[in-house]
Amino acid sequence: MAGYEYRGEKPFGNVYFTGIVRDKLGRKMSKQLGNSPDPLDLIAKYGADGMRVAMMLSSSAGNDVMFDEALCEQGRNFGNKIWNAYRLINGWSVDEELAQSDNDALAVEWFRHAFAKALAEIEDYFASYRISEAFMRIYKLFWDDFSGWYLEMVKPAYGKPADRKTIDATRRYFDLLMRLVHPFMPFVTEEIWQDLAPRAKGESVMYAAAPEAEAWDEALLARFELVKEAITGIRNVRKQKNIAQKQPLALKVIADENYPEAYAPVIVKMGNIESIETVSEKDPAAAAFIVKTTQYFVPLGGSIDREAETKRLTADLEYLEGFLASVMKKLSNERFVNSAPEKVVANERAKKADAEAKIAAIREQLAALK
């Protein structure tokens, strides 16, 4: 009303209602209950950035904020993660004559697409005022995609230099990530952004342009998910068989349309694989796992425990048969097939095909172990 009266125009178009900050039991904070922490004490203990993150983690938009001091610790840990990631790349030396490896080129290209897709999702969250969801997507992008996968892929071997092209791409990604994180964690991001490159007097990440949306290749990202699963499978074999990460392993693959052969250099580095061999027959004296419909084998010589492997495969078979039964129940329901969106039905049919392929492969592996 005051806007129309004194300015003759609508003062704003959107109103954002915040919830009440409550304790983790759902009670309003009050001095009488003694459940209202001193913000200055929390800042002294966890940092201002850590406390800000706690508020983002506490609740989604429109709901009351259930405050828990443990979330401040999680916020502080995220700040430490960012700082340690920056220290890591700052510790890499550069060989100007070194050519970029296939692994590093694939990693740089993958993260460019992963970042572009995440940015589109983040902008959509901001546009609909889903601030907490936007932060959680940024959190996952930095913690999982950038730190957990990308940095591990491009990290040079101990004592070895990195190539200039990969270093520049990595520092550019870090710059873009700091711009995304800055509204939520202004202090650590400003400190790092100032150190990333020479800055003019008065220049700040606060005024830096936000990252611009780019197109991404969904098929490329889906292909890379298969790479992640293959690497996870190799790591699981190491864990199950108590094989050290530093010990190189051989890998055999029965290749099909779901084998991401173009990303073999990534599998070699991340799984510490000495060789990948494409074969047509199963190896009963190998630890096996399946990604979608592709069968992978890690030869273990005579050290494989056939009884334990049979037990593991039998458990996997029982799970997949139960999963297939649930999918078949959906697909046999005419009401579901006729009324559900075409994309949903197609997704269920894809699940059915994958489950059937995995069941057939496990049965063959069990037969080979007899």
Side-chain angles (χ1 to χ4, degrees):
M1 291 170 64
Y4 283 117
E5 175 67 22
Y6 298 110
R7 299 297 298 272
E9 60 185 23
K10 181 174 70 173
F12 41 75
N14 297 285
V15 180
Y16 186 89
F17 289 98
T18 60
I20 298 171
V21 180
R22 300 177 181 271
D23 66 15
K24 59 184 177 183
L25 299 177
R27 302 174 301 178
K28 284 187 177 182
M29 291 186 172
S30 70
K31 291 182 179 180
Q32 185 177 359
L33 290 174
N35 62 346
S36 181
D38 187 329
L40 294 179
D41 290 340
L42 292 175
I43 290 172
K45 188 174 182 180
Y46 301 107
D49 283 341
M51 186 178 172
R52 289 166 65 94
V53 168
M55 303 305 288
M56 291 294 104
L57 297 173
S58 297
S59 174
S60 56
N63 297 318
D64 286 351
V65 177
M66 302 301 173
F67 181 79
D68 185 347
E69 190 171 328
L71 295 174
C72 291
E73 185 175 359
Q74 187 175 345
R76 180 185 64 189
N77 292 344
F78 185 47
N80 288 341
K81 185 78 171 179
I82 295 172
W83 189 258
N84 288 332
Y86 184 59
R87 287 179 60 197
L88 175 69
I89 66 170
N90 254 3
W92 297 345
S93 59
V94 182
D95 183 346
E96 301 290 352
E97 303 299 321
L98 187 64
Q100 188 179 46
S101 69
D102 291 341
N103 168 81
D104 291 355
L106 289 166
V108 168
E109 180 69 2
W110 164 73
F111 190 76
R112 183 172 69 83
H113 290 272
F115 182 88
K117 181 178 180 180
L119 182 60
E121 294 172 1
I122 292 162
E123 289 181 343
D124 182 61
Y125 286 137
F126 275 126
S128 54
Y129 294 93
R130 294 159 66 186
I131 310 300
S132 292
E133 286 90 338
F135 173 73
M136 289 307 299
R137 187 63 184 90
I138 295 170
Y139 185 100
K140 181 182 181 299
L141 176 65
F142 190 94
W143 194 291
D144 295 341
D145 296 335
F146 185 71
S147 297
W149 285 100
Y150 175 77
L151 288 184
E152 289 300 314
M153 282 189 278
V154 301
K155 182 170 67 177
Y158 182 75
K160 299 292 184 179
D163 67 275
R164 169 56 64 187
K165 197 171 182 179
T166 301
I167 283 285
D168 286 349
T170 303
R171 295 182 75 86
R172 183 174 67 254
Y173 289 149
F174 218 108
D175 184 298
L176 294 173
L177 286 165
M178 291 304 93
R179 298 178 193 217
L180 281 183
V181 179
H182 178 71
F184 305 97
M185 305 183 77
F187 299 102
V188 67
T189 52
E190 182 72 55
E191 190 77 17
I192 290 175
W193 192 81
Q194 291 292 343
D195 195 63
L196 265 168
R199 307 294 182 189
K201 185 178 180 181
E203 197 173 6
S204 169
V205 68
M206 286 189 292
Y207 312 123
E212 294 184 3
E214 294 182 5
W216 68 89
D217 187 336
E218 192 66 47
L220 182 152
L221 294 176
R223 204 72 174 161
F224 198 83
E225 289 303 310
L226 301 179
V227 177
K228 288 183 180 180
E229 289 187 47
I231 294 166
T232 300
I234 295 166
R235 290 172 174 173
N236 288 339
V237 169
R238 288 185 182 276
K239 185 176 180 180
Q240 293 163 4
K241 308 303 178 184
N242 198 26
I243 302 171
Q245 176 60 33
K246 64 181 180 180
Q247 180 180 335
L249 296 174
L251 184 66
K252 295 182 179 181
V253 185
I254 297 180
D256 62 3
E257 68 276 8
N258 290 312
Y259 172 50
E261 185 176 6
Y263 289 91
V266 177
I267 297 174
V268 167
K269 179 175 181 179
M270 296 290 282
N272 193 15
I273 299 299
E274 60 185 2
S275 64
I276 299 180
E277 179 186 357
T278 301
V279 297
S280 57
E281 296 181 354
K282 296 165 183 59
D283 184 352
F289 61 91
I290 303 171
V291 175
K292 206 168 178 66
T293 58
T294 308
Q295 299 182 60
Y296 294 84
F297 303 88
V298 179
L300 299 174
S303 62
I304 188 169
D305 186 334
R306 287 175 178 261
E307 185 178 345
E309 191 69 6
T310 299
K311 186 177 180 180
R312 184 184 69 81
L313 289 172
T314 301
D316 289 347
L317 180 61
E318 290 175 355
Y319 167 78
L320 284 168
E321 286 176 338
F323 175 77
L324 178 60
S326 67
V327 174
M328 291 298 295
K329 187 176 180 180
K330 278 187 180 180
L331 292 175
S332 62
N333 185 333
E334 290 187 13
R335 184 177 177 183
F336 168 77
V337 173
N338 294 329
S339 61
E342 184 178 343
K343 186 177 180 180
V344 173
V345 177
N347 187 45
E348 293 300 316
R349 286 178 176 146
K351 288 180 182 178
K352 173 180 175 290
D354 287 350
E356 288 174 340
K358 287 181 178 179
I359 287 171
I362 289 176
R363 285 175 176 164
E364 290 178 2
Q365 290 172 23
L366 285 169
L369 285 168
K370 291 180 180 178

